[in-house]
Amino acid sequence: MQVTSEAVSGVARRLNVSVPTSRVNEQFEARLKRTAKTVKINGFRPGKVPLNVVRREYGAGIYQDVVNDVIRDTVFEAIQQEKINAVGMPNIEKVENTDDALVYEATVEIYPEVDVKFKKLEVERKATEINDKDVDTMLENLQKQRQGWVETKGMAKKDMQVTFDFEGSIDGEKFEGGSSEDFKLVLGSGRMIPGFEDGIIGMKKGEEKVIDVTFPEDYQAENLAGKQAQFNIKVKQVEKPKLPEIDAEFLQIFGIAEEEGVDKLKADVRKNMEREVKNGLRNQVKGAVFDALVAANDVEVPASMLAQEVDRQRQQMIQQFTQQFGAQGAGAFDSSMLPDDLFKEQAEKSVKLGILVSKILADAKIEVDPARVDAYIEDMASSYEDPAEVIEYFKTDKQQRSQIEAVVLEDQVVDHILAEAKVTDKAVSYEELLKEQQARQQG
């Protein structure tokens, strides 16, 4: 077999393959004989059909099958012979049979060869310290999550809960879904169309008034979109929030004995916040490093790798949809609702990053640090009721441990890059860090 190759692009090679006719003919004759032993043709006993009859009746189809099999086998032999790091399946073209050889072309995508630039990357690294005010704010949030309501005779304000009846109309005509009784609404929650909640602010129990609002142009009910409406509002009750006391009952929710008191609760809250900050800062600097790495390196992405990543992200979204809405909701979910363009930009970035990180790992000969893996698992387990059980699970389950190892390996790459980068440290508040983290997750 003769093979020559040439570059088509930075991520594709074209192979010109010539397979001796003798190789094709040998396989053809062998398969012809095997077929003769099993084929059924009228007038002949099974296994006794003359070879020339089998050749006449089935030869063309058998020969084409042999050609396809020879191409399938030899194209991978050619890839190995040329020492090509292929990705995806080769595309076969221009197949031709001559007297001497079976000749064809195969275009195959290759793993990109990159010279990674990461020295002197400009990276902003955030730093955050938890202070007493942050802890007090978190403690108040825990109270708000369990808050109750107490009636007030005063005016309805933002963050108060109002119980009311309402009846809507457009040009004097009532419309479906425009009325309700004993409807409860926390003002400022944004549950209603723009202007609705603002119209209730300032009302008291027993008051009644008409408010004018306009449905958004993109409102889900097309018959109401963009239309002006009037709502007759009758307030029945106004309640202000009441935070629970930090007493024995409240402490018990968090597994704290009364004698341990609020100081123990604050210590636990601070510990959890510090763990959250540690993870948030690690994710922030990792994101900053990887963004800078991708921006500094021009990487041509093979189409097959991009397609695989697009499909992976699509399946991930479907899985998240299934987890959120259950199997019944997933059954009605059509994957065609998620076109490639929805994932293409993020998928391309992900593939580029994977190529660059793999190259850094290979060049620097970085291997996962078992001690860092154990430390990561122990830190993660510390937030559980039985840390020892969690540690044992992650240490013995190979699949789970491999996922942790992948995260730690990324952290090691980040450290390797930071050692050569131009790092600017910036102090941010706990709240700012959380907002950035949420924005990154949503993006």
Side-chain angles (χ1 to χ4, degrees):
M1 182 177 70
Q2 295 181 342
V3 182
T4 59
S5 64
E6 58 181 328
V8 177
S9 69
V11 291
R13 298 281 292 275
R14 180 181 294 116
L15 301 173
N16 296 285
V17 183
S18 177
V19 183
T21 301
S22 58
R23 178 169 175 173
V24 179
N25 289 340
E26 286 175 7
Q27 292 192 28
F28 172 65
E29 293 297 331
R31 190 170 302 185
L32 203 65
K33 291 176 182 178
R34 290 198 303 271
T35 303
K37 293 178 181 180
T38 58
V39 72
K40 295 181 180 180
I41 296 179
N42 291 335
F44 299 95
R45 288 182 297 168
K48 300 296 182 180
V49 182
L51 202 59
N52 64 321
V53 175
V54 176
R55 190 187 305 273
R56 183 183 67 239
E57 296 292 330
Y58 298 99
I62 292 174
Y63 188 82
Q64 187 57 54
D65 288 342
V66 168
V67 167
N68 292 339
D69 289 348
V70 168
I71 292 175
R72 179 199 63 201
D73 296 338
T74 58
V75 71
F76 290 106
E77 291 176 18
I79 289 172
Q80 291 179 339
Q81 181 176 314
E82 294 297 300
K83 298 179 180 179
I84 294 174
N85 189 6
V87 295
M89 295 298 293
N91 183 37
I92 308 301
E93 300 174 306
K94 298 182 180 179
V95 179
E96 183 181 355
N97 272 303
T98 68
D99 292 338
D100 300 322
L102 167 66
V103 181
Y104 65 88
E105 287 183 0
T107 303
V108 59
E109 288 190 307
I110 62 173
Y111 199 85
E113 295 182 5
V114 292
D115 182 16
V116 187
K117 302 172 185 176
F118 65 87
K119 294 185 178 182
K120 304 303 179 183
L121 286 181
E122 295 187 2
V123 177
E124 184 177 78
R125 180 171 56 194
K126 305 290 177 66
T128 302
E129 290 186 3
I130 301 297
N131 55 44
D132 292 343
K133 184 179 178 181
D134 293 326
V135 175
D136 289 340
T137 300
M138 180 59 70
L139 197 60
E140 186 177 343
N141 289 337
L142 293 176
Q143 290 177 277
K144 286 181 179 179
Q145 291 171 10
R146 295 159 179 82
Q147 73 181 13
W149 300 97
V150 59
E151 188 173 0
T152 177
K153 293 182 181 179
M155 295 186 301
K157 300 178 182 178
K158 185 180 178 182
D159 297 327
M160 289 186 177
Q161 180 172 263
V162 182
T163 303
F164 59 98
D165 298 340
F166 66 87
E167 185 176 79
S169 62
I170 295 177
D171 297 330
E173 297 291 333
K174 298 179 183 179
F175 56 89
E176 185 178 356
S179 303
S180 182
E181 294 183 351
D182 296 326
F183 189 84
K184 291 185 181 295
L185 176 67
V186 177
L187 299 179
S189 62
R191 288 176 55 195
M192 311 300 282
I193 60 176
F196 192 101
E197 296 179 28
D198 292 338
I200 299 176
I201 289 177
M203 295 183 69
K204 296 182 179 180
K205 178 180 179 179
E207 285 190 354
E208 185 173 354
K209 80 174 193 179
V210 176
I211 61 174
D212 295 318
V213 295
T214 302
F215 283 93
E217 293 291 344
D218 58 352
Y219 193 68
Q220 60 267 28
E222 294 183 2
N223 62 313
L224 300 177
K227 292 188 177 180
Q228 292 184 338
Q230 294 74 43
F231 285 91
N232 185 63
I233 308 291
K234 183 178 181 180
V235 174
K236 292 184 172 180
Q237 188 178 51
V238 178
E239 298 170 293
K240 60 182 179 180
K242 181 182 179 181
L243 298 181
E245 296 291 335
I246 302 180
D247 52 17
E249 183 179 354
F250 187 84
L251 293 173
Q252 189 177 15
I253 296 173
F254 302 95
I256 298 174
E258 183 177 5
E259 58 270 19
E260 294 177 301
V262 69
D263 289 341
K264 177 64 166 63
L265 177 59
K266 286 186 175 182
D268 288 352
V269 167
R270 180 183 289 272
K271 185 177 180 181
N272 289 332
M273 292 174 70
E274 287 173 347
R275 183 186 302 108
E276 189 176 21
V277 163
K278 179 181 177 181
N279 293 333
L281 292 175
R282 184 180 65 239
N283 291 332
Q284 179 274 321
V285 75
K286 179 185 291 188
V289 166
F290 285 166
D291 286 347
L293 182 66
V294 171
N297 291 273
D298 186 18
V299 181
E300 190 174 357
V301 176
S304 57
M305 293 181 71
L306 179 61
Q308 289 173 7
E309 178 61 18
V310 165
D311 191 59
R312 187 194 69 80
Q313 292 188 15
R314 181 187 291 111
Q315 294 305 318
Q316 185 179 51
M317 182 173 286
I318 292 173
Q319 185 178 15
Q320 291 172 349
F321 185 89
T322 303
Q323 291 173 348
Q324 183 175 358
F325 298 102
Q328 185 176 359
F333 190 84
D334 185 357
S335 59
S336 65
M337 296 166 58
L338 303 174
D340 289 359
D341 288 346
L342 186 65
F343 307 96
K344 190 173 181 180
E345 182 178 351
Q346 186 59 38
E348 185 172 6
K349 180 180 177 181
S350 180
V351 173
K352 286 181 178 179
L353 181 60
I355 292 169
L356 293 168
V357 169
S358 294
K359 180 63 172 175
I360 292 174
L361 286 169
D363 289 349
K365 296 180 173 59
I366 300 174
E367 295 183 354
V368 68
D369 183 348
R372 289 184 65 161
V373 173
D374 290 340
Y376 188 99
I377 293 173
E378 289 172 5
D379 182 62
M380 182 176 59
S382 64
S383 62
Y384 289 82
E385 185 175 348
D386 188 351
E389 183 180 348
V390 177
I391 291 171
E392 184 65 20
Y393 170 69
F394 278 96
K395 284 188 175 181
T396 56
D397 189 297
K398 291 183 179 179
Q399 183 177 356
Q400 293 296 329
R401 185 176 177 85
S402 66
Q403 292 178 2
I404 300 297
E405 289 174 346
V407 173
V408 171
L409 201 55
E410 283 188 347
D411 290 343
Q412 291 178 235
V413 171
V414 169
D415 290 345
H416 181 72
I417 295 174
L418 285 174
E420 301 284 350
K422 183 180 178 182
V423 181
T424 303
D425 290 313
K426 179 182 179 182
V428 296
S429 68
Y430 173 74
E431 185 178 355
E432 288 173 328
L433 178 67
L434 289 187
K435 287 182 179 179
E436 180 179 325
Q437 192 171 2
Q438 290 170 357
R440 179 173 289 275
Q441 290 173 348
Q442 292 172 358

